[in-house]
């Protein structure tokens, strides 16, 4: 079992939990292997943590958990694969200004543990959608 460190805490993970991003993430092409680590005290949020660099850590959330009706693509675009969608969260010190990137979701094939970040070019979703709903 391997270990990564997040916020000073050692977190064990198995190699079969590692998600491979062949192209890396947008703006971080070197981030190619990462694990999802639930943030127990802030569910449904998770860390997406690189297993290769302690500097590459993001908070992500399943957008379906916080945005009712979020449908970034048609079911037939995914095919028979079992996928899970995540969105990167930009946390602000003023929590009411925290945003979620719904326009460039992370899509993970949970059977093969491979992922990709998509850019939805023709979409109603924003790169910085407010997490706080009025």
């Amino acid at each position: 079992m391997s270990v990564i460190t997040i916020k000073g805490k050692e977190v064990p993970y198995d190699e079969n939990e590692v998600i491979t991003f062949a192209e890396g993430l947008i703006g971080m092409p070197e981030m190619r292997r990462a694990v999802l680590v639930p943030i127990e005290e802030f569910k449904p949020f998770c860390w997406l943590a690189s297993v290769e660099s302690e500097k590459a850590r993001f908070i992500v959330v399943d957008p379906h958990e916080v945005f009712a009706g979020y449908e970034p693509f048609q079911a037939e675009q995914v095919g028979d694969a079992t996928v899970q969608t995540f969105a990167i969260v930009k946390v602000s010190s003023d929590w009411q200004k925290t945003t979620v990137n719904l326009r460039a979701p992370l899509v993970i094939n949970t059977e093969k543990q491979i992922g990709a970040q998509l850019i939805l070019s023709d979409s109603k979703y924003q790169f910085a959608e407010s997490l706080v709903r009025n």
Side-chain angles (χ1 to χ4, degrees):
M1 185 164 286
S2 300
V3 175
I4 57 172
T5 304
I6 301 175
K7 295 283 204 180
K9 180 181 175 187
E10 289 189 346
V11 179
Y13 68 91
D14 289 324
E15 190 62 30
N16 64 349
E17 296 174 302
V18 175
I19 303 159
T20 301
F21 293 91
E23 302 294 322
L25 299 183
I26 297 168
M28 294 193 72
E30 69 282 358
M31 186 167 170
R32 297 186 183 257
R33 292 172 29 88
V35 292
L36 284 167
V37 178
I39 305 173
E40 294 301 325
E41 61 272 23
F42 295 108
K43 284 185 177 180
F45 297 92
C46 299
W47 286 103
L48 178 68
S50 170
V51 298
E52 300 164 330
S53 170
E54 286 192 29
K55 294 181 180 183
R57 307 279 190 262
F58 297 97
I59 293 178
V60 298
V61 66
D62 178 338
H64 301 97
E65 295 278 337
V66 291
F67 292 94
Y70 180 70
E71 293 299 331
F73 38 77
Q74 302 290 330
E76 60 268 10
Q77 291 175 296
V78 180
D80 291 335
T82 302
V83 298
Q84 190 168 11
T85 306
F86 288 92
I88 295 176
V89 178
K90 183 179 178 191
V91 178
S92 173
S93 58
D94 176 355
W95 69 271
Q96 293 183 332
K97 294 181 181 175
T98 296
T99 61
V100 179
N101 183 345
L102 297 180
R103 187 83 177 250
L106 304 171
V107 179
I108 300 167
N109 178 320
T110 56
E111 295 168 4
K112 296 181 180 179
Q113 287 298 95
I114 57 174
Q117 186 172 20
L118 307 177
I119 295 179
L120 307 174
S121 57
D122 186 24
S123 174
K124 63 182 179 181
Y125 300 111
Q126 303 299 314
F127 289 109
E129 192 76 46
S130 178
L131 187 60
V132 178
R133 297 298 201 187
N134 295 328

